[in-house]
Amino acid sequence: MRKRNKFYWFEGVTEKGVKALLNDENSKYRWLRPQRNRRVLVILMAIGLVLTSMGSYWPTLKTNLNLDSGVGLIIYSVTAIFVILAIIGGYSFLRIAVRSIADAPDELLDERQIAVRNTSFRYAYFILGYILMGLMVLILFGPELQMFQDEGNDGSYVFIATLFACASLPSMVMAWRERDI
């Protein structure tokens, strides 16, 4: 009888996928495992999140840089595609680097992994609180943002970057803190 691959809806992972990452010593991902490389990945993810949120201020930046509409559109399109693909690729590599421990359910982890994951979630929660406090200060004192606007500063990029940060912060904290994963 074939064993079913259980899907954990809340975590968004499958049993086989998590077990493969926890037990796999695949040499093509070995370069992701050292702490230095994981920290570089975390820094690149943080830069990507900031660049994603800066998309909300593109009209103001375009005006300040005196770009005409054709050049501005090309710069905007290339940068937006590159940043979004880098964020999604970086998040995928980050999940592989931390062996998907931050996304795994309790029943697939041992006691040490559960403790590490829970500590990472706690620190990610604190960091997210400071990020949201910074966003509130930015909304109060920065250029005006409105959601889903054709003209002017569109706040949806800040919203997208915040969603990416919520999803990736536990893995980022774990990648930064843990010596051996």
Side-chain angles (χ1 to χ4, degrees):
M1 184 164 198
R2 216 171 86 186
K3 186 176 178 185
R4 296 190 58 187
N5 187 17
K6 185 175 181 182
F7 189 82
Y8 295 92
W9 290 99
F10 187 70
E11 292 86 1
V13 297
T14 62
E15 182 177 8
K16 285 183 183 177
V18 171
K19 285 184 177 180
L21 283 173
L22 289 173
N23 301 323
D24 191 17
E25 287 298 328
N26 194 339
S27 61
K28 74 178 181 180
Y29 298 121
R30 183 162 287 169
W31 64 275
L32 288 171
R33 305 283 189 231
Q35 188 179 26
R36 189 186 102 228
N37 293 351
R38 286 185 279 129
R39 285 185 173 182
V40 168
L41 193 56
V42 168
I43 291 169
L44 291 175
M45 279 289 296
I47 291 170
L49 291 171
V50 169
L51 288 175
T52 302
S53 64
M54 290 301 293
S56 290
Y57 296 106
W58 175 248
T60 302
L61 291 172
K62 187 171 74 170
T63 303
N64 291 342
L65 295 174
N66 293 326
L67 297 175
D68 64 358
S69 62
V71 174
L73 181 63
I74 291 171
I75 291 173
Y76 175 75
S77 300
V78 170
T79 304
I81 290 170
F82 175 73
V83 168
I84 296 298
L85 289 177
I87 290 281
I88 292 170
Y91 179 62
S92 299
F93 280 139
L94 194 61
R95 282 186 66 169
I96 293 169
V98 298
R99 299 180 185 266
S100 195
I101 293 173
D103 301 319
D106 286 347
E107 64 189 67
L108 299 178
L109 301 175
D110 62 22
E111 292 85 13
R112 179 194 171 276
Q113 292 169 333
I114 291 171
V116 167
R117 184 203 54 202
N118 291 345
T119 303
S120 296
F121 266 92
R122 181 174 182 263
Y123 285 119
Y125 178 74
F126 289 141
I127 292 168
L128 189 60
Y130 288 118
I131 289 172
L132 292 177
M133 191 170 24
L135 288 174
M136 288 191 302
V137 168
L138 182 68
I139 288 171
L140 288 173
F141 299 111
E144 182 181 349
L145 288 177
Q146 294 182 1
M147 295 299 286
F148 310 113
Q149 296 296 313
D150 291 336
E151 299 293 323
N153 294 333
D154 180 16
S156 61
Y157 294 100
V158 172
F159 182 70
I160 292 168
T162 305
L163 289 177
F164 278 135
C166 289
S168 62
L169 264 175
S171 294
M172 290 171 72
V173 169
M174 187 179 298
W176 190 270
R177 292 186 66 231
E178 288 301 307
R179 231 177 249 283
D180 295 320
I181 294 181

